[in-house]
Amino acid sequence: MQLKIYNSLTAEKEIFNPIHENNVGMYVCGPTVYSNVHLGNVRTFLSFDFIYRSLMHLGYKVRYVRNITDAGHLTDDGDVNNDRFVKQTRLEKLEPMEIVQKYTVDFHKVLEMFNLLPPNIEPTATGHIVEQIELTQKLIEKGFAYESNGSVYFDVLEYNKKGLNYGELSKRNIEELFANTRDLDGQGEKKNPQDFALWKKASPAHIMRWNSPWGEGFPGWHLECTAMSTKYLGDKFDIHGGGMDLKFPHHECEIAQGKACNDVEPVNYWMHANMLTMNSQRMSKSTGNYILPKQLVSGENDFFEKPFHPTIVRFCFLQAHYRSVLDISNDAMMASEKGFTRLMEAMKALNSIIPDDKKESGYNLKEWKTKAYDALTDDFNSPVLIAHLFEAVKFIFALKDEKETVSTEDLADLKSTLNALIFDVLGLQAIEENNNEKLDQTLQVLIELRNQARKSKNFELSDQIRDKLLAEGIELKDGRDGTSYVLN
């Protein structure tokens, strides 16, 4: 099996050849922890969790690094007050590191809820200030950066003059960028509008600040990923991932920093997960078309008719390829729940199948297995993989109904393969039956039977149901809105 990965840099699927045989270095841009992780973030991190699981299942030893951005996330290099952490500390009246701790804990809880594996290393921007200062100094020494009024900027025009290509990932023409960009207010420190901050001078009101050769300040957003990825994976590594929205400028800047600093293309395969929409519209707080992950799971929202178990959400997300736009809706979630239930029913049925070595099966298990792994190795095509799983589901129910047969060897292989693909690779989890839900369903049936008895004036049966339930510690209460029960 040859693994093929779509490389955003070349815009082609390429055969995956790791730098070190059977070893993979993978870096994924993590969250900026100034607010609750949103559902679109979950989709991105879940996509790379599936990729991480797949790589390990295919026999690679993976070092997976995913950072935490806890400082220096500027939305505009020209205004230090646009630092998202500064804004949130003012809004919540908390210290910056209280904000960081609060939302880092939330991030981990949400990802754990959806059964994402933790990365091997999870470095923070604030924990690597020294490395970022050293990189900045190196870029200045090599002529790719300059100091201006206590801040340091990467010189994009100088980078391109030296035969390098800023814009290669996002396929942007740098000459057109320069021609079409006007100077913005507050960007007078820059030589060129496209230059980006490596280090920013802190204003008097800026709380998060560190000493540097250029005075007190804080790192720019793009530099941290170059500092942390190269520290833990080397100057050149295999895979860099993130959301599609990070392709420009964040990942473009990372490539420029890496090539300028270390004279090498920093990453062999760039991978980008696509966006999440809801009810065919972009998710946005401003439009109200927005929901937090926990609200989807709890049912506390106005978009979905019921709560959905986290593994149902995960199953729904994996039914779209990571490079495709994923749209969630009530209908999509209900269909995912139905499909997942069918899949789990098949796995239960598989345990009761009795093999028959005397008859030859009409189902080619080897061919099915090849197709399943072809999907997995074709740029991690989860929807096609899931479609092949349901081919196996159809075969399992045919076995259950004794319309098909399977040998002892093939049955063991089928069980092993399905368990690996469903639980290890896709990361799905069997949902334990909730005894409280079963009790409630049973009692609702008994209440309905009692109501029918009362309508038929069969008061003896009605009282018998009530009294027997009471003897078991369940008290029925008749009210204006119907009958309810209390556990005594």
Side-chain angles (χ1 to χ4, degrees), residues 5-6 8 26-30 40-56 62 64-66 111 116-119 239-244 246 251 269-274 314 318 322-323 379-380 425:
I5 293 178
Y6 182 86
S8 297
M26 181 170 78
Y27 185 92
V28 174
C29 289
N41 294 142
V42 171
R43 194 266 167 116
T44 296
F45 298 128
L46 195 151
S47 294
F48 285 101
D49 179 71
F50 167 60
I51 290 165
Y52 176 39
R53 289 169 175 271
S54 298
L55 287 168
M56 290 192 294
V62 186
Y64 177 20
V65 182
R66 187 185 66 212
L111 264 55
L116 273 70
L117 299 174
I239 296 172
H240 194 312
M244 195 75 75
L246 297 179
H251 290 161
Y269 303 87
W270 284 91
M271 301 181 71
H272 292 93
N274 216 322
R314 184 179 178 106
L318 289 169
Y322 77 90
R323 286 192 288 114
D379 194 31
F380 310 101
V425 177

Side-chain angles (χ1 to χ4, degrees), residues 244-366:
M244 195 75 75
D245 58 318
L246 297 179
K247 188 182 286 189
F248 186 89
H250 186 53
H251 290 161
E252 198 75 74
C253 294
E254 280 192 65
I255 291 175
Q257 290 165 167
K259 289 171 76 171
C261 236
N262 303 312
D263 303 312
V264 66
E265 190 77 52
V267 177
N268 279 345
Y269 303 87
W270 284 91
M271 301 181 71
H272 292 93
N274 216 322
M275 66 185 294
L276 175 74
T277 60
M278 186 165 67
N279 298 319
S280 302
Q281 295 180 339
R282 189 181 182 91
M283 290 187 70
S284 167
K285 285 183 181 179
S286 59
T287 62
N289 192 54
Y290 183 81
I291 184 175
L292 287 171
K294 290 177 183 176
Q295 293 172 323
L296 180 56
V297 171
S298 69
E300 297 173 3
N301 63 82
D302 298 324
F303 299 99
F304 298 88
E305 66 181 76
K306 63 187 288 295
F308 291 97
H309 192 280
T311 206
I312 303 294
V313 179
R314 184 179 178 106
F315 184 59
C316 179
F317 282 14
L318 289 169
Q319 288 181 78
H321 190 269
Y322 77 90
R323 286 192 288 114
S324 302
V325 173
L326 167 66
D327 184 63
I328 60 166
S329 63
N330 188 71
D331 288 347
M333 289 303 304
M334 293 297 291
S336 293
E337 186 173 64
K338 185 177 179 181
F340 177 81
T341 301
R342 178 80 170 165
L343 188 61
M344 291 300 106
E345 286 173 350
M347 292 303 289
K348 284 182 181 177
L350 195 56
N351 293 324
S352 62
I353 300 299
I354 299 172
D356 188 345
D357 292 316
K358 295 178 181 178
K359 296 179 181 177
E360 188 174 338
S361 174
Y363 189 77
N364 191 327
L365 184 63
K366 185 178 179 181

Side-chain angles (χ1 to χ4, degrees), residues 357 361 363 365-366 406-415:
D357 292 316
S361 174
Y363 189 77
L365 184 63
K366 185 178 179 181
V406 65
S407 68
T408 303
E409 184 180 348
D410 280 356
L411 180 61
D413 192 19
L414 180 60
K415 283 182 180 179

Side-chain angles (χ1 to χ4, degrees), residues 106-245:
D106 171 75
F107 172 71
H108 287 146
K109 282 183 177 178
V110 170
L111 264 55
E112 185 179 354
M113 180 171 66
F114 291 106
N115 196 31
L116 273 70
L117 299 174
N120 303 113
I121 303 173
E122 192 173 51
T124 65
T126 56
H128 295 77
I129 298 295
V130 171
E131 289 84 351
Q132 293 177 78
I133 289 173
E134 288 174 351
L135 275 177
T136 303
Q137 289 176 307
K138 189 174 180 181
L139 287 168
I140 291 174
E141 290 166 5
K142 296 188 74 172
F144 289 104
Y146 58 91
E147 186 270 339
S148 178
N149 192 30
S151 295
V152 181
Y153 296 96
F154 187 94
D155 193 329
V156 171
L157 189 58
E158 187 63 29
Y159 177 79
N160 270 42
K161 281 181 181 177
K162 294 186 178 181
L164 300 167
N165 181 18
Y166 183 82
E168 61 182 309
L169 178 65
S170 56
K171 311 297 184 282
R172 301 188 183 213
N173 185 304
I174 190 64
E175 283 74 22
E176 288 179 7
L177 283 177
F178 275 99
N180 297 331
T181 306
R182 295 178 291 111
D183 279 325
L184 302 174
D185 290 340
Q187 291 194 333
E189 295 177 349
K190 297 182 181 183
K191 290 181 181 178
N192 314 293
Q194 278 71 33
D195 295 350
F196 56 89
L198 300 171
W199 186 266
K200 284 296 290 184
K201 179 181 178 181
S203 67
H206 207 283
I207 304 170
M208 300 181 86
R209 56 205 299 150
W210 292 266
N211 289 322
S212 79
W214 316 283
E216 287 192 340
F218 57 96
W221 172 31
H222 313 303
L223 190 63
E224 63 171 282
C225 287
T226 297
M228 290 185 277
S229 63
T230 55
K231 177 168 182 174
Y232 298 109
L233 298 175
D235 293 346
K236 186 179 183 71
F237 56 94
D238 298 299
I239 296 172
H240 194 312
M244 195 75 75
D245 58 318

Side-chain angles (χ1 to χ4, degrees), residues 400-451:
K400 183 182 177 184
D401 296 337
E402 298 183 352
K403 295 176 181 177
E404 270 285 6
T405 59
V406 65
S407 68
T408 303
E409 184 180 348
D410 280 356
L411 180 61
D413 192 19
L414 180 60
K415 283 182 180 179
S416 174
T417 303
L418 284 174
N419 272 292
L421 293 176
I422 293 170
F423 301 115
D424 297 338
V425 177
L426 293 175
L428 301 176
Q429 295 173 299
I431 300 174
E432 294 181 10
E433 289 188 0
N434 190 320
N435 291 331
N436 289 334
E437 285 183 16
K438 291 293 181 186
L439 175 62
D440 183 69
Q441 291 168 7
T442 304
L443 288 173
Q444 292 303 330
V445 170
L446 290 170
I447 288 170
E448 182 59 31
L449 289 172
R450 178 172 172 265
N451 288 338

